[in-house]
Amino acid sequence: MSIKIRKEDALNYHTQGQPGKIEVVPTKPMESQMDLALAYSPGVAEPCKEIAENKEDVYKYTAKGNLVGVISNGTAVLGLGNIGPEASKPVMEGKGVLFKKFAGIDVFDIEIDEEDPDKFIQIVKSLEPTFGGINLEDIKAPESFKIERTLKEQMNIPIMHDDQHGTAIISAAALINALELVNKKIEDISIVVNGAGAAAIACTKIYLALGARKENIIMCDSKGVINKKRDNIDESKAEFITSKDIDTLEDAIKGSDFFLGLSVADILTPENILSMAENPIVFALANPNPEIAYDLAKKVREDIILATGRSDHPNQVNNVLGFPYIFRGALDVRATAINEEMKLAAVLALAALTKETVPDLVNKAYGDNKIQFGPEYLIPKPLDPRLITTISPAVAKAAMDSGVAKVQITNWEEYKLDLEKRIGIDQKLISRIISRAKKNPKRVVFAEAHDLRILKAAQIVADEGIGFPILLGKRSVIQKLIEENNLDLADCQIFDTYEEDERVEKFANFYYEKRKRKGVTLYDANKLMRERNMFGCMLVEHDEADGLVSGLTKDYPKTILPALQVIGMEPEVKKVAGMYIMLTKKGTFFFADTTVNVDPTPEELVDIIGLTARGVKFFDVEPRIAVLSYSNFGSSKGAIPTKTQAAVRLAKAKFPELNIDGDIQANVALDTKIQQENYPFSDLAEKGANTLIFPNLESGNIAYKLLMEIGGAQTIGPILLGMKRPVHVLQLGSSVREIVNMAAITVVDAQFYDQKANK
């Protein structure tokens, strides 16, 4: 499903909170006068003097080694053309956040008001002292060729125009694998390239480097085939003049083995596809719509192998598979260039990774347990966490082998671990959850649809294909909010409990039968069914919905109680528990119980440990569990150390497969050095804890709220563990994105429920 982007949503996204998508965050303490004196004057003089003595020390004392400049003049932006440097800035900021998200690389985006290539070159060259590498972006051809070539000649840091080489690298990996599937050799195939811009020419050159023959290539531009009959062909295209007496794309494509399109939508016809050789390979990469619609091409030729630039079809040629990891490898060996050897290393690494067994977390992220090398899986998926540990080392090694690396990596296993730590490999957790949700969307009840944030979240859930929102609330209020805020929720079902007499009666009778010996009268039941949380739970219980999200405007107990009374707990579960996911700079951590059990007994803590471990695994993370206390392995006496020690003993006996230890203080649980020096016997000494079990509600609740507000952690939760059907409770005042995240978790939880029910 393609994502529908509304103008208002896009503008709101870029304006909410602080305008733009990036900020500068200090990496050193700035709390005291001493900190300020060290950071600036007079302390800063010392590293300045060291660098003046040895320029290479700039990498030791500054951020240069992890800093890339994303630089553009805005002359060829996306599909927008020459819109100018100011208008290109949102794109450059976007590129910056992708560098950070996928490879842990910091970025300054620089938009230059200069179209003269010589002056542009002069400006960029003068920035070399600032950056460890330069990513040129959205610069029109043919100027982009001269700019990149000259800067690579004159500068001693990695330079890459990603519009050219990113597409070239990813498509080349896909081509290698496609040719293997159809049992053809690159040196034998006939190639048609439609489009003669920067990306098309870079792609063609890398195919030549892989063994394609120039005489087998026909390149077309908007005027037709680039041949000897044409006059005034610019230098970049002249290299690909064909000697064949062919003028049109229609003639060129007849009998061809491989078509590469980097041109315009719908230029290929079914007849063109039918005229190609047996087992044709078509990469229709025009954006946003390919040269031929995916479904049409597949219908015309069953033997076709097809790739596009779209995320809603297999084989998306997406530059994010390349540039973050290529620059990561180049920076880590302090390469003086990104050369052909490094680009080819990235191509081969990508192609090889595709043939490896796909991890379960990738299968789950895309809702497909059958992802394996084949016609619909030519290149890895963007959310594959192995990309950074596959491509970056390959690029770094190629830099070393080709003599452009100033730093040598000797321990590759340690380097791979450093790569995972650098980006916080779990940061893609919610991305994987959303991708899983999209593969099999479910019906999610939003019990507080009278709130604009809920409606905006429902809009995103519907637009992104995460789920099918069901809105509960007063119909007139909901519709007024929809109209006033230009939302499109016409396809969403709305339930106004005061219009649902028949359902209210049905649900009331059901509830009365469940609770009549617990003080509930039929009159009470009818009255309660008008309450939205109760009604929403009944929709889930009666299979008219798959899950419930609520709690934005109500205290936690008022949301959870109806769920417990109507839906209830899983069999064998004695008490539910609440878990928060804490996304921090140091990684992802799971906190429990943070919302439900006030003062659990040791036996109840064991149940919480079991529920939490299962919840952590639900997110494709292996739990390493610390049961927290103010004591370390009996160092202090008291009720809490005694309780947590007992819980650990019982839990180890009940769950021998889990990595559990305690009693232990929170800082010690996370610090492997302290454990290895003082408590080497700890089960957590090697890797530290990622799952923290609190001894009581007050400690867990206080800890997560402090970390969220003071520590700047992003939170997902509270996730309710142990319910028979998916019910998840929002924090008071959750943001729209937090509501969307919780809805995605609810959908995936419902998918899991269906799997269990169908066994």
Side-chain angles (χ1 to χ4, degrees):
M1 177 181 288
S2 59
I3 297 173
K4 184 176 182 179
I5 299 295
R6 290 180 172 78
K7 177 180 179 180
E8 182 182 357
D9 293 337
L11 296 179
N12 286 342
Y13 176 85
H14 285 82
T15 57
Q16 64 186 359
Q18 181 173 310
K21 298 185 287 280
I22 57 175
E23 65 177 348
V24 175
V25 178
T27 60
K28 301 294 186 292
M30 294 284 174
E31 282 78 35
S32 68
Q33 186 63 36
M34 175 61 80
D35 291 338
L36 297 176
L38 290 169
Y40 194 53
S41 182
V44 75
E46 297 307 321
C48 290
K49 288 188 284 186
E50 294 293 312
I51 296 167
E53 287 288 322
N54 176 17
K55 283 187 179 180
E56 288 299 302
D57 278 350
V58 70
Y59 289 95
K60 182 177 180 180
Y61 295 112
T62 77
K64 178 183 171 83
N66 195 50
L67 188 61
V68 164
V70 174
I71 302 180
S72 180
N73 60 6
T75 53
V77 177
L78 296 172
L80 303 175
N82 188 349
I83 59 174
E86 291 86 357
S88 77
K89 189 171 179 64
V91 180
M92 303 312 125
E93 286 187 355
K95 195 69 176 278
V97 298
L98 293 178
F99 266 110
K100 188 66 174 179
K101 177 179 174 65
F102 289 102
I105 294 172
D106 295 315
V107 163
F108 290 160
D109 65 288
I110 296 181
E111 294 73 35
I112 298 174
D113 187 11
E114 182 56 72
E115 294 192 21
D116 181 285
D118 293 320
K119 292 180 180 178
F120 187 91
I121 289 165
Q122 185 179 2
I123 293 167
V124 176
K125 185 177 184 300
S126 71
L127 298 172
E128 183 169 353
T130 300
F131 295 110
I134 300 289
N135 181 106
L136 299 170
E137 193 78 11
D138 292 349
I139 303 168
K140 68 183 177 73
E143 291 89 337
S144 58
F145 298 113
K146 177 181 179 179
I147 288 169
E148 186 194 39
R149 182 178 64 251
T150 307
L151 288 174
K152 288 176 72 172
E153 291 170 354
Q154 297 183 3
M155 297 176 74
N156 288 306
I157 57 175
I159 311 286
M160 189 170 84
H161 186 205
D162 185 51
D163 301 321
Q164 298 178 48
H165 305 295
T167 303
I169 288 163
I170 313 309
S171 72
L175 179 59
I176 287 172
N177 286 337
L179 289 171
E180 181 176 329
L181 290 170
V182 298
N183 195 28
K184 294 181 182 180
K185 295 181 179 179
I186 194 167
E187 59 267 29
D188 298 331
I189 63 170
S190 59
I191 300 172
V192 175
V193 179
N194 198 58
I201 288 173
C203 287
T204 309
K205 285 184 174 180
I206 207 165
Y207 303 156
L208 289 171
L210 289 170
R213 294 177 179 171
K214 191 174 291 187
E215 61 267 27
N216 293 340
I217 298 172
I218 299 173
M219 183 176 287
C220 307
D221 61 13
S222 59
K223 297 177 182 177
V225 173
I226 299 172
N227 57 31
K228 292 182 177 180
K229 302 175 188 177
R230 299 258 306 266
D231 296 323
N232 301 319
I233 296 174
D234 69 54
E235 182 183 350
S236 61
K237 297 179 184 180
E239 184 178 351
F240 299 102
I241 293 174
T242 182
S243 59
K244 296 177 182 178
D245 187 17
I246 295 174
D247 297 310
T248 67
L249 172 62
E250 184 178 6
D251 290 334
I253 203 168
K254 288 177 183 176
S256 64
D257 298 287
F258 171 46
F259 171 86
L260 170 70
L262 285 155
S263 51
V264 294
D266 302 322
I267 199 167
L268 276 188
T269 65
E271 290 74 23
N272 295 151
I273 297 293
L274 286 168
S275 73
M276 293 181 72
E278 185 180 359
N279 299 314
I281 301 167
V282 173
F283 291 177
L285 306 184
N287 267 320
N289 297 311
E291 281 79 2
I292 186 168
Y294 182 89
D295 293 338
L296 176 59
K298 295 290 285 186
K299 182 179 179 181
V300 170
R301 292 287 297 254
E302 290 185 359
D303 61 341
I304 195 171
I305 293 182
L306 189 60
T308 71
R310 293 178 64 108
S311 62
D312 50 343
H313 299 310
N315 301 324
Q316 183 194 16
V317 176
N318 187 337
N319 284 19
V320 81
L321 292 172
F323 70 82
Y325 314 113
I326 293 166
F327 272 95
R328 179 76 276 157
L331 292 175
D332 289 339
V333 293
R334 220 177 288 170
T336 57
I338 293 176
N339 58 25
E340 295 308 307
E341 292 89 341
M342 294 160 74
K343 285 182 262 184
L344 287 173
V347 170
L348 298 176
L350 265 172
L353 179 61
T354 316
K355 298 171 191 173
E356 295 182 11
T357 302
V358 177
D360 284 343
L361 64 87
V362 177
N363 286 323
K364 290 178 182 177
Y366 291 92
D368 184 355
N369 290 323
K370 298 178 182 178
I371 298 176
Q372 59 182 0
F373 176 54
E376 295 193 343
Y377 182 63
L378 300 175
I379 42 178
K381 301 288 189 179
L383 294 178
D384 193 325
R386 301 172 299 168
L387 287 164
I388 192 168
T389 54
T390 300
I391 299 172
S392 298
V395 170
K397 188 174 188 305
M400 291 163 52
D401 292 345
S402 61
V404 296
K406 291 184 178 179
V407 171
Q408 301 294 307
I409 295 172
T410 55
N411 188 330
W412 292 98
E413 287 305 312
E414 185 177 317
Y415 175 55
K416 288 181 180 180
L417 290 174
D418 287 342
L419 289 172
E420 292 182 349
K421 290 177 183 176
R422 183 185 286 276
I423 66 166
I425 201 70
D426 294 331
Q427 70 167 314
K428 299 177 185 175
L429 179 148
I430 194 60
S431 299
R432 294 198 299 267
I433 288 291
I434 289 174
S435 292
R436 284 167 64 180
K438 288 178 174 181
K439 293 299 179 181
N440 186 14
K442 299 292 183 181
R443 301 163 298 174
V444 179
V445 178
F446 290 93
E448 298 156 301
H450 58 281
D451 190 288
L452 180 58
R453 286 167 295 177
I454 291 289
L455 293 179
K456 286 184 174 180
Q459 180 80 82
I460 294 170
V461 168
D463 285 350
E464 294 191 10
I466 294 168
F468 305 107
I470 297 172
L471 309 175
L472 295 192
K474 193 170 178 61
R475 185 180 299 274
S476 60
V477 173
I478 294 172
Q479 290 177 335
K480 184 180 179 184
L481 283 169
I482 289 172
E483 290 170 9
E484 288 177 348
N485 293 278
N486 197 29
L487 300 174
D488 180 10
L489 293 167
D491 293 334
C492 295
Q493 195 170 11
I494 298 175
F495 282 110
D496 185 333
T497 59
Y498 288 92
E499 298 174 355
E500 295 290 333
D501 293 343
E502 187 176 331
R503 276 191 176 86
V504 164
E505 183 179 357
K506 172 186 170 183
F507 293 165
N509 288 329
F510 178 87
Y511 186 73
Y512 172 68
E513 288 300 319
K514 282 187 110 176
R515 309 287 297 180
K516 63 187 179 184
R517 292 186 179 274
K518 296 183 180 180
V520 175
T521 67
L522 187 56
Y523 172 82
D524 294 331
N526 271 281
K527 188 176 179 181
L528 282 169
M529 288 310 115
R530 303 288 182 184
E531 201 276 322
R532 289 190 300 274
N533 279 326
M534 190 68 78
F535 189 91
C537 289
M538 281 293 181
L539 288 174
V540 175
E541 179 67 10
H542 284 78
D543 240 0
E544 294 189 55
D546 300 302
L548 173 77
V549 173
S550 189
L552 182 69
T553 60
K554 287 185 179 292
D555 291 333
Y556 198 89
K558 292 178 182 177
T559 303
I560 194 174
L561 185 60
L564 289 169
Q565 291 178 346
V566 172
I567 296 172
M569 297 179 286
E570 291 182 57
E572 310 301 323
V573 171
K574 297 174 184 176
K575 282 199 173 186
V576 296
M579 179 179 77
Y580 264 93
I581 305 173
M582 311 299 292
L583 306 173
T584 77
K585 288 185 177 181
K586 291 190 174 182
T588 299
F589 300 92
F590 301 84
F591 286 17
D593 179 3
T594 51
T595 53
V596 181
N597 298 289
V598 176
D599 189 16
T601 64
E603 292 76 16
E604 289 169 343
L605 274 176
V606 172
D607 291 339
I608 292 169
I609 290 168
L611 286 172
T612 305
R614 191 180 70 182
V616 173
K617 289 179 179 179
F618 174 82
F619 292 100
D620 303 310
V621 177
E622 192 60 34
R624 302 187 302 274
I625 303 168
V627 185
L628 300 182
S629 172
Y630 55 77
S631 166
N632 287 312
F633 306 107
S635 63
S636 298
K637 305 302 177 185
I640 286 179
T642 300
K643 178 169 73 170
T644 52
Q645 289 165 18
V648 169
R649 284 196 303 271
L650 294 169
K652 285 190 172 186
K654 187 172 182 178
F655 309 114
E657 74 283 3
L658 293 180
N659 186 345
I660 311 169
D661 220 331
D663 64 323
I664 190 170
Q665 293 177 355
N667 65 314
V668 178
L670 302 175
D671 193 324
T672 55
K673 185 176 180 182
I674 292 177
Q675 290 188 67
Q676 289 164 9
E677 289 178 355
N678 298 281
Y679 311 106
F681 55 83
S682 170
D683 292 343
L684 303 170
E686 183 181 351
K687 293 185 177 180
N690 62 9
T691 305
L692 306 182
I693 305 297
F694 292 87
N696 50 37
L697 182 63
E698 59 190 291
S699 57
N701 196 271
I702 290 168
Y704 95 76
K705 287 184 176 176
L706 280 174
L707 189 56
M708 182 173 66
E709 293 300 326
I710 298 176
Q714 289 181 268
T715 63
I716 302 172
I719 297 162
L720 199 54
L721 306 171
M723 292 296 296
K724 190 171 69 174
R725 297 286 299 270
V727 174
H728 291 295
V729 185
L730 300 166
Q731 302 178 70
L732 280 170
S734 293
S735 69
V736 171
R737 179 46 61 180
E738 287 166 341
I739 299 167
V740 171
N741 291 345
M742 191 59 74
I745 289 169
T746 303
V747 169
V748 176
D749 201 357
Q751 294 169 355
F752 183 67
Y753 170 83
D754 283 352
Q755 291 170 5
K756 288 193 299 180
N758 292 328
K759 282 185 178 179

